[in-house]
Amino acid sequence: MSDYQMFEAIVRDVEQITAQVKRFTLVSPTGAPLPGFSGGSPNILQMQDGEQRYSNAYSLMSSPLDTTSWQIAVRLESPSKGGSRFMHQQVRPGDTLTVSTPNNLFAIEPQARKHLLIAGGIGITPFLSHIPELEQRQADWQLHYCFHDADNNAFVDALSAAPWRDRVNVHVSALGSRLDLPRLFADLEPGTHVYSCGPAALNEAVKAAAGRHQVPASQLHFEQFIVEDKGGEAFTLVLARSGREFTVPQDMTILQVIENNKAAKVECLCRGVRHLRNDDSGRGSGPPRSVLQRGRESQPAEYADLLLARQRRPVSAGFIARSPASAAGRCADHSSSSRRSRS
């Protein structure tokens, strides 16, 4: 059974936050509350642009305590693979979008003594939904928000004006105020859980600093936004049960080709967001086991019996591949890991 359902929502408002970031407010067509969610949850937006279909995952940034509406923020990527460009250029108030119920892989650890939140750029969005929950619980938390310059400071004004602004630390690299991770981890209190969301460089730096100070891997939580290089040879995709064949170009994933051709209903929450979580030994940086299990359980039969032309080799999520090696990394939307598409 699928872990989420798709339904229609109305765009109530579109706001220009920075030159590159827009905020979208979504409501139910009936006026009823939207499904509940916990802080850090993403949902999938499906966008239809003529014959082209985009499916991107975005963090819900509104408060989980108020489900009369949802809010997401979309950064316009350059170059865009279509999704962020569609949202910025074509979506207007009153439009209808197909969205999924939320599914959280980046939740707050309720047993933590303290919560250290580290955001990079548009990675601030999941923390904006975490904070109301932390405040409701009267939890001890601190946020460090890192960005390059004023073009990348989405929501800094709101954070600076909030009642809990004394818990917010802003670091602007263009002004020389970079986050001092070694000092931050040297002063880390026992029992603190660390949450990092942003580009790969930030997460790797946080991971390295945590390793040097022997922070237990169970106390580290990462979410990473990456547009993956999907290069490699084109190959032929065969749906085993129907026998339908499609060419997967160098610059597309298997999931995109199936969806664009409406070849099968593909339910896949792992679209572009990578949740990096070490095991207890500190080894491994792949997605949590639940991500891959969910992928297996929610695939339609025709998709699960996928065959890729050429060399036989296993791929993630129960696929069998007869393809160039580059095809393995293109079975999911950007990679076989769970990564959130921002384009």
Short mmCIF file of all heavy atoms in Angstrom, two decimals, residues 193-253:
data_model
loop_
_atom_site.label_atom_id
_atom_site.label_comp_id
_atom_site.label_asym_id
_atom_site.label_seq_id
_atom_site.Cartn_x
_atom_site.Cartn_y
_atom_site.Cartn_z
N HIS A 193 21.11 16.93 19.76
CA HIS A 193 20.95 16.38 18.41
C HIS A 193 21.18 17.50 17.40
O HIS A 193 20.72 18.63 17.59
CB HIS A 193 19.56 15.78 18.23
CG HIS A 193 19.45 14.39 18.76
ND1 HIS A 193 19.19 13.28 17.95
CD2 HIS A 193 19.60 13.91 20.02
CE1 HIS A 193 19.17 12.20 18.69
NE2 HIS A 193 19.42 12.54 19.95
N VAL A 194 21.90 17.17 16.33
CA VAL A 194 22.30 18.15 15.32
C VAL A 194 21.54 17.85 14.03
O VAL A 194 21.54 16.70 13.56
CB VAL A 194 23.81 18.11 15.07
CG1 VAL A 194 24.21 19.13 14.01
CG2 VAL A 194 24.57 18.35 16.37
N TYR A 195 20.91 18.87 13.46
CA TYR A 195 20.16 18.74 12.22
C TYR A 195 20.76 19.73 11.21
O TYR A 195 20.86 20.92 11.49
CB TYR A 195 18.69 19.08 12.43
CG TYR A 195 18.06 18.39 13.62
CD1 TYR A 195 18.24 18.88 14.91
CD2 TYR A 195 17.29 17.24 13.46
CE1 TYR A 195 17.67 18.26 16.01
CE2 TYR A 195 16.71 16.61 14.56
CZ TYR A 195 16.91 17.13 15.84
OH TYR A 195 16.34 16.50 16.92
N SER A 196 21.16 19.22 10.06
CA SER A 196 21.77 20.07 9.04
C SER A 196 21.03 19.89 7.72
O SER A 196 20.79 18.76 7.28
CB SER A 196 23.25 19.72 8.85
OG SER A 196 23.85 20.53 7.88
N CYS A 197 20.67 21.01 7.10
CA CYS A 197 19.96 20.96 5.83
C CYS A 197 20.52 22.03 4.91
O CYS A 197 20.54 23.22 5.27
CB CYS A 197 18.46 21.18 6.03
SG CYS A 197 17.51 21.10 4.50
N GLY A 198 20.98 21.62 3.74
CA GLY A 198 21.55 22.58 2.80
C GLY A 198 22.37 21.87 1.74
O GLY A 198 22.18 20.69 1.49
N PRO A 199 23.31 22.58 1.15
CA PRO A 199 24.12 21.98 0.10
C PRO A 199 25.11 20.96 0.65
O PRO A 199 25.35 20.89 1.86
CB PRO A 199 24.86 23.19 -0.51
CG PRO A 199 24.87 24.20 0.58
CD PRO A 199 23.59 24.00 1.35
N ALA A 200 25.68 20.17 -0.25
CA ALA A 200 26.58 19.09 0.16
C ALA A 200 27.76 19.61 0.96
O ALA A 200 28.19 18.98 1.93
CB ALA A 200 27.06 18.34 -1.08
N ALA A 201 28.31 20.76 0.57
CA ALA A 201 29.50 21.28 1.26
C ALA A 201 29.20 21.55 2.73
O ALA A 201 30.03 21.28 3.61
CB ALA A 201 29.98 22.55 0.56
N LEU A 202 28.03 22.09 3.02
CA LEU A 202 27.66 22.35 4.41
C LEU A 202 27.51 21.06 5.19
O LEU A 202 28.07 20.90 6.28
CB LEU A 202 26.35 23.13 4.46
CG LEU A 202 25.77 23.34 5.86
CD1 LEU A 202 26.68 24.22 6.70
CD2 LEU A 202 24.36 23.92 5.79
N ASN A 203 26.78 20.10 4.63
CA ASN A 203 26.57 18.84 5.34
C ASN A 203 27.88 18.09 5.57
O ASN A 203 28.08 17.49 6.62
CB ASN A 203 25.58 17.96 4.57
CG ASN A 203 24.15 18.42 4.74
OD1 ASN A 203 23.84 19.17 5.65
ND2 ASN A 203 23.28 17.98 3.84
N GLU A 204 28.76 18.12 4.58
CA GLU A 204 30.05 17.45 4.75
C GLU A 204 30.88 18.13 5.83
O GLU A 204 31.57 17.47 6.61
CB GLU A 204 30.81 17.43 3.43
CG GLU A 204 30.20 16.50 2.38
CD GLU A 204 30.10 15.06 2.85
OE1 GLU A 204 31.04 14.57 3.51
OE2 GLU A 204 29.06 14.41 2.57
N ALA A 205 30.84 19.46 5.89
CA ALA A 205 31.59 20.18 6.92
C ALA A 205 31.03 19.89 8.31
O ALA A 205 31.79 19.71 9.28
CB ALA A 205 31.55 21.68 6.64
N VAL A 206 29.71 19.82 8.42
CA VAL A 206 29.08 19.49 9.70
C VAL A 206 29.45 18.07 10.11
O VAL A 206 29.79 17.80 11.27
CB VAL A 206 27.55 19.65 9.62
CG1 VAL A 206 26.87 19.07 10.86
CG2 VAL A 206 27.19 21.12 9.44
N LYS A 207 29.39 17.16 9.16
CA LYS A 207 29.74 15.77 9.45
C LYS A 207 31.19 15.63 9.90
O LYS A 207 31.49 14.91 10.85
CB LYS A 207 29.49 14.91 8.21
CG LYS A 207 29.57 13.41 8.46
CD LYS A 207 29.44 12.61 7.18
CE LYS A 207 28.15 12.88 6.47
NZ LYS A 207 28.01 12.03 5.26
N ALA A 208 32.09 16.36 9.24
CA ALA A 208 33.51 16.30 9.61
C ALA A 208 33.74 16.87 11.01
O ALA A 208 34.48 16.30 11.81
CB ALA A 208 34.34 17.07 8.58
N ALA A 209 33.11 18.00 11.31
CA ALA A 209 33.27 18.60 12.63
C ALA A 209 32.70 17.69 13.71
O ALA A 209 33.29 17.53 14.79
CB ALA A 209 32.58 19.96 12.66
N ALA A 210 31.57 17.07 13.44
CA ALA A 210 30.97 16.15 14.39
C ALA A 210 31.88 14.94 14.63
O ALA A 210 32.03 14.48 15.76
CB ALA A 210 29.60 15.69 13.89
N GLY A 211 32.51 14.46 13.54
CA GLY A 211 33.42 13.33 13.68
C GLY A 211 34.63 13.67 14.53
O GLY A 211 35.07 12.86 15.35
N ARG A 212 35.18 14.85 14.34
CA ARG A 212 36.36 15.26 15.12
C ARG A 212 36.04 15.38 16.60
O ARG A 212 36.92 15.16 17.45
CB ARG A 212 36.91 16.58 14.59
CG ARG A 212 37.66 16.45 13.26
CD ARG A 212 38.42 17.71 12.94
NE ARG A 212 37.53 18.83 12.67
CZ ARG A 212 37.07 19.14 11.46
NH1 ARG A 212 37.41 18.40 10.41
NH2 ARG A 212 36.27 20.18 11.29
N HIS A 213 34.81 15.71 16.91
CA HIS A 213 34.41 15.85 18.32
C HIS A 213 33.63 14.65 18.82
O HIS A 213 33.02 14.70 19.88
CB HIS A 213 33.61 17.14 18.50
CG HIS A 213 34.44 18.38 18.36
ND1 HIS A 213 34.69 18.97 17.14
CD2 HIS A 213 35.12 19.11 19.28
CE1 HIS A 213 35.46 20.04 17.31
NE2 HIS A 213 35.73 20.14 18.59
N GLN A 214 33.65 13.56 18.06
CA GLN A 214 33.09 12.28 18.46
C GLN A 214 31.62 12.38 18.88
O GLN A 214 31.18 11.76 19.84
CB GLN A 214 33.92 11.67 19.59
CG GLN A 214 35.37 11.40 19.17
CD GLN A 214 36.19 10.75 20.26
OE1 GLN A 214 35.94 10.94 21.45
NE2 GLN A 214 37.19 9.96 19.86
N VAL A 215 30.86 13.14 18.10
CA VAL A 215 29.42 13.20 18.32
C VAL A 215 28.82 11.89 17.84
O VAL A 215 29.08 11.47 16.70
CB VAL A 215 28.79 14.38 17.57
CG1 VAL A 215 27.27 14.41 17.79
CG2 VAL A 215 29.42 15.70 18.03
N PRO A 216 28.03 11.21 18.66
CA PRO A 216 27.46 9.93 18.22
C PRO A 216 26.65 10.09 16.93
O PRO A 216 25.90 11.06 16.76
CB PRO A 216 26.55 9.52 19.38
CG PRO A 216 27.14 10.22 20.57
CD PRO A 216 27.66 11.54 20.05
N ALA A 217 26.83 9.14 16.03
CA ALA A 217 26.12 9.21 14.74
C ALA A 217 24.62 9.23 14.92
O ALA A 217 23.89 9.79 14.10
CB ALA A 217 26.54 8.02 13.87
N SER A 218 24.12 8.62 15.99
CA SER A 218 22.67 8.59 16.23
C SER A 218 22.11 9.97 16.53
O SER A 218 20.89 10.15 16.52
CB SER A 218 22.35 7.63 17.38
OG SER A 218 23.01 8.06 18.57
N GLN A 219 22.98 10.94 16.81
CA GLN A 219 22.54 12.29 17.13
C GLN A 219 22.71 13.25 15.95
O GLN A 219 22.53 14.45 16.10
CB GLN A 219 23.31 12.83 18.34
CG GLN A 219 23.02 12.06 19.61
CD GLN A 219 23.87 12.49 20.79
OE1 GLN A 219 24.15 11.70 21.70
NE2 GLN A 219 24.32 13.72 20.79
N LEU A 220 23.02 12.72 14.77
CA LEU A 220 23.22 13.54 13.58
C LEU A 220 22.12 13.27 12.56
O LEU A 220 21.82 12.12 12.25
CB LEU A 220 24.59 13.24 12.96
CG LEU A 220 25.81 13.46 13.85
CD1 LEU A 220 27.08 13.01 13.13
CD2 LEU A 220 25.92 14.92 14.28
N HIS A 221 21.54 14.32 12.01
CA HIS A 221 20.45 14.21 11.04
C HIS A 221 20.73 15.19 9.91
O HIS A 221 20.96 16.38 10.15
CB HIS A 221 19.11 14.55 11.70
CG HIS A 221 18.91 13.88 13.03
ND1 HIS A 221 18.29 12.66 13.16
CD2 HIS A 221 19.27 14.26 14.28
CE1 HIS A 221 18.26 12.31 14.44
NE2 HIS A 221 18.84 13.28 15.14
N PHE A 222 20.69 14.69 8.67
CA PHE A 222 21.03 15.53 7.53
C PHE A 222 19.95 15.44 6.45
O PHE A 222 19.39 14.37 6.21
CB PHE A 222 22.36 15.08 6.90
CG PHE A 222 23.54 15.21 7.81
CD1 PHE A 222 23.90 14.17 8.65
CD2 PHE A 222 24.31 16.36 7.81
CE1 PHE A 222 24.99 14.28 9.49
CE2 PHE A 222 25.40 16.47 8.64
CZ PHE A 222 25.74 15.43 9.49
N GLU A 223 19.70 16.57 5.82
CA GLU A 223 18.89 16.59 4.61
C GLU A 223 19.65 17.44 3.60
O GLU A 223 20.14 18.52 3.93
CB GLU A 223 17.51 17.19 4.89
CG GLU A 223 16.59 17.12 3.68
CD GLU A 223 15.16 17.46 4.04
OE1 GLU A 223 14.81 18.65 3.98
OE2 GLU A 223 14.39 16.54 4.39
N GLN A 224 19.73 16.94 2.39
CA GLN A 224 20.62 17.57 1.40
C GLN A 224 19.90 17.82 0.10
O GLN A 224 19.22 16.95 -0.43
CB GLN A 224 21.82 16.64 1.16
CG GLN A 224 22.88 17.21 0.25
CD GLN A 224 24.12 16.34 0.29
OE1 GLN A 224 24.65 16.05 1.36
NE2 GLN A 224 24.58 15.90 -0.86
N PHE A 225 20.03 19.06 -0.41
CA PHE A 225 19.44 19.43 -1.69
C PHE A 225 20.52 19.43 -2.75
O PHE A 225 21.48 20.19 -2.67
CB PHE A 225 18.81 20.81 -1.62
CG PHE A 225 17.75 20.92 -0.56
CD1 PHE A 225 17.80 21.91 0.40
CD2 PHE A 225 16.70 20.02 -0.52
CE1 PHE A 225 16.82 22.01 1.36
CE2 PHE A 225 15.72 20.11 0.44
CZ PHE A 225 15.78 21.11 1.38
N ILE A 226 20.36 18.58 -3.76
CA ILE A 226 21.37 18.47 -4.80
C ILE A 226 20.69 18.24 -6.13
O ILE A 226 19.74 17.47 -6.24
CB ILE A 226 22.32 17.28 -4.54
CG1 ILE A 226 23.27 17.61 -3.38
CG2 ILE A 226 23.13 16.94 -5.77
CD1 ILE A 226 24.27 16.52 -3.11
N VAL A 227 21.19 18.91 -7.15
CA VAL A 227 20.82 18.57 -8.53
C VAL A 227 21.93 17.68 -9.05
O VAL A 227 23.06 18.11 -9.25
CB VAL A 227 20.67 19.82 -9.41
CG1 VAL A 227 20.36 19.40 -10.85
CG2 VAL A 227 19.55 20.70 -8.87
N GLU A 228 21.61 16.42 -9.21
CA GLU A 228 22.62 15.40 -9.53
C GLU A 228 22.99 15.43 -11.01
O GLU A 228 22.15 15.69 -11.87
CB GLU A 228 22.04 14.02 -9.18
CG GLU A 228 23.07 12.92 -9.18
CD GLU A 228 23.90 12.92 -7.91
OE1 GLU A 228 23.54 13.59 -6.96
OE2 GLU A 228 24.92 12.23 -7.92
N ASP A 229 24.24 15.15 -11.28
CA ASP A 229 24.68 14.95 -12.66
C ASP A 229 24.19 13.59 -13.13
O ASP A 229 24.60 12.56 -12.61
CB ASP A 229 26.21 15.02 -12.71
CG ASP A 229 26.75 14.79 -14.12
OD1 ASP A 229 25.94 14.71 -15.06
OD2 ASP A 229 27.98 14.71 -14.26
N LYS A 230 23.30 13.59 -14.09
CA LYS A 230 22.71 12.34 -14.56
C LYS A 230 23.31 11.92 -15.89
O LYS A 230 22.65 11.34 -16.72
CB LYS A 230 21.20 12.50 -14.68
CG LYS A 230 20.51 12.77 -13.37
CD LYS A 230 19.03 12.94 -13.56
CE LYS A 230 18.72 14.20 -14.32
NZ LYS A 230 17.27 14.50 -14.36
N GLY A 231 24.57 12.23 -16.09
CA GLY A 231 25.21 11.89 -17.34
C GLY A 231 25.35 10.39 -17.54
O GLY A 231 25.21 9.60 -16.63
N GLY A 232 25.66 9.99 -18.73
CA GLY A 232 25.80 8.58 -19.05
C GLY A 232 25.17 8.31 -20.39
O GLY A 232 24.58 9.19 -21.01
N GLU A 233 25.30 7.09 -20.84
CA GLU A 233 24.75 6.73 -22.15
C GLU A 233 23.23 6.62 -22.11
O GLU A 233 22.65 6.28 -21.08
CB GLU A 233 25.31 5.36 -22.57
CG GLU A 233 26.82 5.32 -22.73
CD GLU A 233 27.29 3.92 -23.09
OE1 GLU A 233 26.57 3.25 -23.86
OE2 GLU A 233 28.33 3.50 -22.59
N ALA A 234 22.61 6.92 -23.24
CA ALA A 234 21.19 6.63 -23.39
C ALA A 234 21.00 5.11 -23.42
O ALA A 234 21.91 4.37 -23.81
CB ALA A 234 20.65 7.27 -24.66
N PHE A 235 19.85 4.64 -22.98
CA PHE A 235 19.60 3.20 -23.00
C PHE A 235 18.10 2.97 -23.20
O PHE A 235 17.28 3.90 -23.13
CB PHE A 235 20.09 2.51 -21.73
CG PHE A 235 19.50 3.06 -20.45
CD1 PHE A 235 18.37 2.47 -19.88
CD2 PHE A 235 20.07 4.15 -19.83
CE1 PHE A 235 17.83 2.97 -18.72
CE2 PHE A 235 19.54 4.66 -18.65
CZ PHE A 235 18.41 4.06 -18.10
N THR A 236 17.75 1.72 -23.45
CA THR A 236 16.36 1.35 -23.70
C THR A 236 15.73 0.79 -22.44
O THR A 236 16.30 -0.07 -21.78
CB THR A 236 16.28 0.30 -24.83
OG1 THR A 236 16.84 0.86 -26.01
CG2 THR A 236 14.82 -0.08 -25.09
N LEU A 237 14.57 1.29 -22.12
CA LEU A 237 13.80 0.84 -20.97
C LEU A 237 12.66 -0.04 -21.47
O LEU A 237 11.95 0.33 -22.41
CB LEU A 237 13.24 2.06 -20.24
CG LEU A 237 12.16 1.83 -19.19
CD1 LEU A 237 12.75 1.12 -17.98
CD2 LEU A 237 11.55 3.17 -18.78
N VAL A 238 12.52 -1.23 -20.87
CA VAL A 238 11.44 -2.15 -21.24
C VAL A 238 10.60 -2.43 -20.01
O VAL A 238 11.12 -2.85 -18.97
CB VAL A 238 12.00 -3.49 -21.79
CG1 VAL A 238 10.85 -4.40 -22.20
CG2 VAL A 238 12.95 -3.24 -22.94
N LEU A 239 9.30 -2.18 -20.10
CA LEU A 239 8.38 -2.57 -19.05
C LEU A 239 7.98 -4.02 -19.29
O LEU A 239 7.34 -4.34 -20.30
CB LEU A 239 7.14 -1.67 -19.05
CG LEU A 239 7.42 -0.18 -18.82
CD1 LEU A 239 6.10 0.59 -18.75
CD2 LEU A 239 8.23 0.05 -17.57
N ALA A 240 8.39 -4.90 -18.38
CA ALA A 240 8.34 -6.33 -18.64
C ALA A 240 6.93 -6.85 -18.90
O ALA A 240 6.72 -7.67 -19.79
CB ALA A 240 8.97 -7.09 -17.47
N ARG A 241 5.95 -6.39 -18.15
CA ARG A 241 4.60 -6.96 -18.28
C ARG A 241 3.92 -6.48 -19.55
O ARG A 241 3.23 -7.25 -20.21
CB ARG A 241 3.77 -6.61 -17.05
CG ARG A 241 4.27 -7.30 -15.80
CD ARG A 241 3.25 -7.28 -14.70
NE ARG A 241 3.72 -8.04 -13.54
CZ ARG A 241 3.00 -8.28 -12.46
NH1 ARG A 241 1.76 -7.82 -12.38
NH2 ARG A 241 3.49 -8.96 -11.46
N SER A 242 4.07 -5.18 -19.86
CA SER A 242 3.39 -4.66 -21.05
C SER A 242 4.23 -4.80 -22.30
O SER A 242 3.70 -4.78 -23.41
CB SER A 242 3.05 -3.19 -20.84
OG SER A 242 4.24 -2.42 -20.78
N GLY A 243 5.55 -4.93 -22.14
CA GLY A 243 6.44 -5.01 -23.29
C GLY A 243 6.73 -3.66 -23.93
O GLY A 243 7.43 -3.59 -24.95
N ARG A 244 6.22 -2.58 -23.37
CA ARG A 244 6.46 -1.24 -23.94
C ARG A 244 7.91 -0.85 -23.77
O ARG A 244 8.54 -1.14 -22.74
CB ARG A 244 5.55 -0.20 -23.29
CG ARG A 244 4.07 -0.47 -23.50
CD ARG A 244 3.22 0.61 -22.82
NE ARG A 244 3.38 1.91 -23.47
CZ ARG A 244 2.82 3.02 -23.01
NH1 ARG A 244 2.08 2.98 -21.89
NH2 ARG A 244 2.99 4.17 -23.65
N GLU A 245 8.47 -0.20 -24.79
CA GLU A 245 9.87 0.21 -24.77
C GLU A 245 9.98 1.73 -24.91
O GLU A 245 9.22 2.35 -25.65
CB GLU A 245 10.64 -0.46 -25.91
CG GLU A 245 10.71 -1.98 -25.80
CD GLU A 245 11.66 -2.58 -26.84
OE1 GLU A 245 12.37 -1.79 -27.50
OE2 GLU A 245 11.68 -3.81 -26.96
N PHE A 246 10.94 2.28 -24.17
CA PHE A 246 11.19 3.72 -24.23
C PHE A 246 12.70 3.96 -24.20
O PHE A 246 13.45 3.19 -23.59
CB PHE A 246 10.57 4.44 -23.02
CG PHE A 246 9.10 4.21 -22.88
CD1 PHE A 246 8.61 3.23 -22.03
CD2 PHE A 246 8.18 4.96 -23.61
CE1 PHE A 246 7.25 3.00 -21.89
CE2 PHE A 246 6.82 4.75 -23.48
CZ PHE A 246 6.36 3.77 -22.62
N THR A 247 13.14 5.01 -24.85
CA THR A 247 14.53 5.42 -24.78
C THR A 247 14.70 6.40 -23.62
O THR A 247 13.94 7.37 -23.51
CB THR A 247 14.98 6.11 -26.08
OG1 THR A 247 14.88 5.17 -27.14
CG2 THR A 247 16.41 6.60 -25.97
N VAL A 248 15.65 6.12 -22.74
CA VAL A 248 15.97 7.02 -21.63
C VAL A 248 17.17 7.86 -22.06
O VAL A 248 18.28 7.34 -22.16
CB VAL A 248 16.30 6.25 -20.34
CG1 VAL A 248 16.63 7.21 -19.21
CG2 VAL A 248 15.12 5.35 -19.95
N PRO A 249 16.98 9.14 -22.37
CA PRO A 249 18.09 9.97 -22.84
C PRO A 249 19.14 10.20 -21.76
O PRO A 249 18.92 9.89 -20.58
CB PRO A 249 17.41 11.30 -23.22
CG PRO A 249 15.95 11.00 -23.26
CD PRO A 249 15.72 9.87 -22.32
N GLN A 250 20.26 10.76 -22.15
CA GLN A 250 21.35 10.99 -21.21
C GLN A 250 20.96 11.91 -20.07
O GLN A 250 21.47 11.78 -18.97
CB GLN A 250 22.55 11.60 -21.96
CG GLN A 250 23.20 10.66 -22.96
CD GLN A 250 24.39 11.30 -23.64
OE1 GLN A 250 24.66 12.49 -23.44
NE2 GLN A 250 25.10 10.53 -24.44
N ASP A 251 20.05 12.86 -20.34
CA ASP A 251 19.76 13.88 -19.34
C ASP A 251 18.46 13.65 -18.59
O ASP A 251 17.92 14.55 -17.96
CB ASP A 251 19.71 15.27 -20.00
CG ASP A 251 18.62 15.35 -21.08
OD1 ASP A 251 18.10 14.28 -21.48
OD2 ASP A 251 18.31 16.46 -21.51
N MET A 252 17.92 12.40 -18.62
CA MET A 252 16.68 12.12 -17.92
C MET A 252 16.83 10.86 -17.08
O MET A 252 17.73 10.05 -17.28
CB MET A 252 15.51 11.96 -18.91
CG MET A 252 15.15 13.23 -19.65
SD MET A 252 13.67 13.01 -20.68
CE MET A 252 12.39 12.89 -19.41
N THR A 253 15.92 10.71 -16.11
CA THR A 253 15.88 9.50 -15.29
C THR A 253 14.80 8.56 -15.80
O THR A 253 13.91 8.95 -16.57
CB THR A 253 15.57 9.85 -13.82
OG1 THR A 253 14.25 10.40 -13.75
CG2 THR A 253 16.57 10.86 -13.27
#
